Amino acid sequence: MKRIPRRDEAADRFRGGIASVLLIGFAAGILAGLSRIAANRYPDAGLPNLAIAAFTAELNRVFFFSAAVGIPVIFLVYVLYRIAPRSFPRTTAVLFLLVSVLAVSRTDFYRGSISASEWSPLLVARRTLLLLFCLAAARLLRETFPFFRTLRVLSSLRIPLLLVFLLAAANSGAVINHMKNMPRGSNVILITFDSIRADHLGFFGYERPTSPALDRIASEGVVFGSAFTTCPESPQALASVLTGRWPRTHGVRRMWDLLGQAQVSLAELLSDKGYVAGAFVSLPGPKRKSGFEQGFDRFFLDETHESERITGEAIRWIDSERKRPVFAWIHYADARMPYEPSASGSAFAAPFGPGASREGFRYEPTRACRVFGHERLAADDSARAVALYDGEIRRVDDEIDRLLGHLERTDRIHDTTILIAGTHGESLGEHEYFFDHGDFLFDTSLRVPMILRAANLPSRVVPTQARLVDLLPTILDVLHLPIPADIDGRSLLGTVERPDGFPDLPVFAESEVSLFPAVNRRRPIPGIEGKLEAVRERGWKLILYPTRTGVRAELYDLSTDPGETVDRAADFPEIAAALRATLEQWKAGSPPASVRKESPPPDWVFAAGDPPATP
């Protein structure tokens, strides 16, 4: 008869433990949801619908994770208590320690996400102290308070039912809010690509058939004939595309920097209005978090850099989304080194390099020797490399044709706004810089193609300067959505409506950090302090080179010297001073998002045989 109360008491503790787990999971989910909203600044950005969706998603994630882990643990504790009640306290303490260690090892359990590089001995020590504190607190509560009586109080099914009801109410509210704000606008397809020069495309007068698909789209839409990137490296430029901000203000200053959660992306802005967002991209480096994922319902990152795979995934996803307007971002990275075009583009290399392989071109013997002109290619091999580069452009064009052709066959092209833009160009030997980008700020690397095709927009070429930061406000303007007041770009629709009356926008740009200061004699200063800066305005361009003795300026008259071959800084010092003042004024009005801690580049930035990163 004495065993029956103990068994009833054990069952009460089991039910109370389940109620405790669910209550803690619900409270933790509320805190996680509020933390996510605050980290992403959704209220400040005017994104109430996205805030509701993010809060509900985080509440669900934490609540169900807590239930999935906590309920089996409570059941195990219950079994241990029934089997060995005398050793129950010690066994429970060990079990609690194991579960706590597993929880702490999950990086997103405490902070949402954290990169591997952020794990440090200090962080491990802090988490260990947290575990010890939890164990001490649990033991103190057990010895000084009737803790297990509390579990009996919670053993009623009313608390779990109440929590389930509250969770269902939160999800129902999110669904009702989503249905209420369901957009009826057009689909949006944003296509970006690396390393494709505007002057190597057919609609800009290039002689090779590199871009038949882009030529057709250009003939049907608006071509921005003088469009420029913010940085001749794709991560920085893509961050500008997604946020409408300069690299200084969005914080991605180096290709390995992470886009911060506080930056509001185009995907988040459109998701707040009811769009379903998907990204299908190829990015430099190994598979890792870049910060570009935020706001996307589907984020496909291709490590193989195969454009065919990216297009296929994008088509399948677009076909699966029929109930809501679609925002699809597709990014190709084929046209960067090594140049290994598909069959449609490799034919361009046929007349070049007799006796040599036509399948591809790589840096030989090392990247630094080739890029900075320390070892020259023979004329035939250089021409063959350019032909293979053209073949890579054709490969990207073929995939764009495949994507848009599918939209036409499925009758979705007519209600789709299409925006196509390059992230940067490619230097093919101009200015003693071979088959690369990122180090210098000449137009061979800064000028990019940009095309907008949308309903009710005329087909024309806009001659005024455009910037990548202008893409986000332009897309929102086309969709008749509000444009955030704190972004750096401006809508380009005004240039379409009155191309001769719209003011020419100044172009500001910065380079990548100097990765090879030991062999790049023109860029001896490593780190962010050694970045080049440029301003392009009213037919002139000023480039600033940090050196060990100060800052050297180069000035180019683009109206008479579009190839930027003659430095006119000594001839026109007043123009150089005026442009420098414009640059300084812009920098003063665009403070850096944060002070980036200088750190060596990760290993994936370099290739085998590269020289050391520091002199």
Side-chain angles (χ1 to χ4, degrees):
M1 297 296 296
K2 294 182 180 180
R3 292 177 60 86
I4 294 177
R6 183 168 66 84
R7 289 182 178 179
D8 291 340
E9 182 179 328
D12 287 343
R13 292 175 182 174
F14 175 59
R15 290 192 294 268
I18 293 177
S20 300
V21 166
L22 296 180
L23 185 61
I24 292 173
F26 192 80
I30 292 176
L31 292 176
L34 294 175
S35 299
R36 181 175 175 185
I37 291 174
N40 289 278
R41 300 192 309 122
Y42 291 148
D44 296 339
L47 304 176
N49 302 318
L50 189 57
I52 293 173
F55 175 83
T56 307
E58 202 68 16
L59 173 62
N60 290 333
R61 184 186 70 85
V62 175
F63 178 81
F64 287 111
F65 172 77
S66 301
V69 174
I71 292 177
V73 170
I74 293 298
F75 178 74
L76 181 59
V77 170
Y78 169 71
V79 172
L80 289 175
Y81 184 80
R82 294 292 299 271
I83 295 175
R86 294 183 178 181
S87 59
F88 173 72
R90 182 179 301 176
T91 306
T92 304
V94 173
L95 183 62
F96 176 80
L97 177 62
L98 292 176
V99 173
S100 300
V101 169
L102 291 175
V104 171
S105 67
R106 283 182 56 91
T107 58
D108 59 347
F109 189 81
Y110 286 96
R111 298 180 56 180
S113 63
I114 183 172
S115 64
S117 61
E118 291 181 275
W119 280 102
S120 64
L122 179 61
L123 182 60
V124 173
R126 287 169 56 190
R127 298 300 161 84
T128 304
L129 290 175
L130 178 62
L131 286 177
L132 295 177
F133 174 79
C134 291
L135 287 173
R139 185 171 183 82
L140 181 64
L141 286 172
R142 182 178 180 278
E143 293 181 353
T144 58
F145 296 99
F147 179 66
F148 289 107
R149 292 183 183 177
T150 304
L151 294 183
R152 295 189 64 182
V153 173
L154 295 173
S155 63
S156 172
L157 290 176
R158 296 176 182 176
I159 290 179
L161 290 176
L162 176 62
L163 294 177
V164 171
F165 172 77
L166 293 176
L167 187 67
N171 282 274
S172 298
V175 172
I176 292 172
N177 181 75
H178 167 70
M179 297 300 295
K180 181 181 178 181
N181 294 278
M182 177 71 75
R184 296 293 182 265
S186 69
N187 299 315
V188 178
I189 304 294
L190 172 63
I191 301 174
T192 56
F193 36 68
D194 284 358
S195 307
I196 293 183
R197 289 171 54 149
D199 60 355
H200 276 241
L201 300 175
F203 61 93
F204 280 112
Y206 195 54
E207 65 274 9
R208 283 188 177 132
T210 57
S211 55
L214 289 174
D215 297 346
R216 179 169 58 87
I217 300 168
S219 67
E220 300 169 353
V222 180
V223 176
F224 298 94
S226 296
F228 297 90
T229 185
T230 58
C231 176
E233 195 62 73
S234 56
Q236 297 92 311
L238 289 173
S240 293
V241 170
L242 294 176
T243 64
R245 295 172 178 268
W246 305 105
R248 288 176 59 83
T249 50
H250 62 55
V252 181
R253 308 292 301 278
R254 304 164 300 186
M255 70 173 74
W256 57 90
D257 285 336
L258 183 74
L259 182 65
Q261 285 187 330
Q263 300 296 326
V264 179
S265 73
L266 177 60
E268 291 172 307
L269 292 168
L270 294 180
S271 294
D272 182 68
K273 302 306 178 184
Y275 277 77
V276 57
F280 307 87
V281 300
S282 177
L283 300 175
K287 191 169 186 177
R288 62 187 181 93
K289 292 186 73 66
S290 60
F292 298 159
E293 309 90 354
Q294 57 195 49
F296 285 101
D297 302 284
R298 170 82 191 283
F299 192 88
F300 173 77
L301 177 59
D302 177 42
E303 288 186 276
T304 64
H305 305 294
E306 295 180 1
S307 55
E308 295 83 1
R309 186 181 179 194
I310 292 174
T311 306
E313 291 290 335
I315 288 175
R316 281 188 287 273
W317 180 80
I318 292 172
D319 284 346
S320 69
E321 299 292 341
R322 295 281 182 173
K323 297 180 180 179
R324 298 163 58 187
V326 165
F327 167 52
W329 170 38
I330 299 98
H331 179 72
Y332 300 111
D334 299 69
R336 58 193 303 139
M337 185 67 70
Y339 305 146
E340 297 172 332
S342 60
S344 62
S346 61
F348 295 156
F352 304 105
S357 170
R358 298 176 181 176
E359 283 70 31
F361 173 76
R362 295 175 178 268
Y363 297 116
E364 295 292 347
T366 66
R367 174 165 61 171
C369 288
R370 179 71 66 226
V371 167
F372 301 114
H374 298 306
E375 182 167 330
R376 302 298 185 107
L377 279 176
D380 285 350
D381 287 335
S382 181
R384 172 179 164 272
V386 172
L388 288 168
Y389 166 74
D390 289 340
E392 290 282 24
I393 298 176
R394 179 59 181 266
R395 181 178 187 175
V396 173
D397 187 83
D398 288 343
E399 291 307 308
I400 294 175
D401 183 58
R402 177 185 167 200
L403 173 65
L404 300 185
H406 180 79
L407 294 178
E408 290 176 346
R409 288 188 296 274
T410 55
D411 199 29
R412 301 188 72 178
I413 194 73
H414 303 294
D415 63 344
T416 299
T417 296
I418 301 170
L419 191 54
I420 301 174
T423 56
H424 54 78
E426 184 90 336
S427 184
L428 302 175
E430 301 88 350
H431 307 98
E432 298 298 305
Y433 188 45
F434 297 85
F435 313 114
D436 208 349
H437 51 267
D439 287 283
F440 300 106
L441 297 179
F442 299 107
D443 280 1
T444 51
S445 296
L446 291 185
R447 189 183 175 202
V448 296
M450 187 185 297
I451 307 171
L452 170 63
R453 175 183 167 181
N456 302 321
L457 287 184
S459 173
R460 63 176 43 163
V461 177
V462 176
T464 53
Q465 290 189 157
R467 300 89 49 92
L468 288 189
V469 292
D470 302 322
L471 293 183
L472 182 147
T474 301
I475 291 175
L476 297 179
D477 204 4
V478 169
L479 299 175
H480 306 290
L481 297 176
I483 300 173
D486 60 347
I487 63 173
D488 300 320
R490 293 179 57 181
S491 172
L492 297 173
L493 281 192
T495 66
V496 178
E497 298 168 355
R498 52 184 195 282
D500 296 329
F502 196 84
D504 214 18
L505 300 173
V507 171
F508 302 99
E510 65 176 45
S511 69
E512 177 61 272
V513 296
S514 182
L515 297 175
F516 305 105
V519 294
N520 187 356
R521 302 185 184 97
R522 290 175 283 179
R523 296 198 55 195
I525 309 297
I528 292 178
E529 294 301 319
K531 276 176 166 283
L532 306 191
E533 297 173 329
V535 55
R536 196 181 196 277
E537 188 177 31
R538 296 189 298 271
W540 292 86
K541 184 175 180 181
L542 180 74
I543 306 176
L544 300 182
Y545 291 77
T547 68
R548 300 195 183 280
T549 58
V551 177
R552 179 173 59 85
E554 291 182 359
L555 178 69
Y556 296 101
D557 182 357
L558 301 175
S559 61
T560 61
D561 181 25
E564 301 166 283
T565 59
V566 181
D567 179 12
R568 307 302 298 273
D571 301 327
F572 299 94
E574 68 286 355
I575 295 179
L579 288 175
R580 188 162 186 173
T582 299
L583 183 62
E584 294 300 327
Q585 183 180 7
W586 165 73
K587 290 169 61 177
S590 304
S594 62
V595 178
R596 290 288 182 183
K597 181 180 178 182
E598 291 288 358
S599 59
D603 292 339
W604 59 262
V605 172
F606 303 102
D610 278 343
T614 56

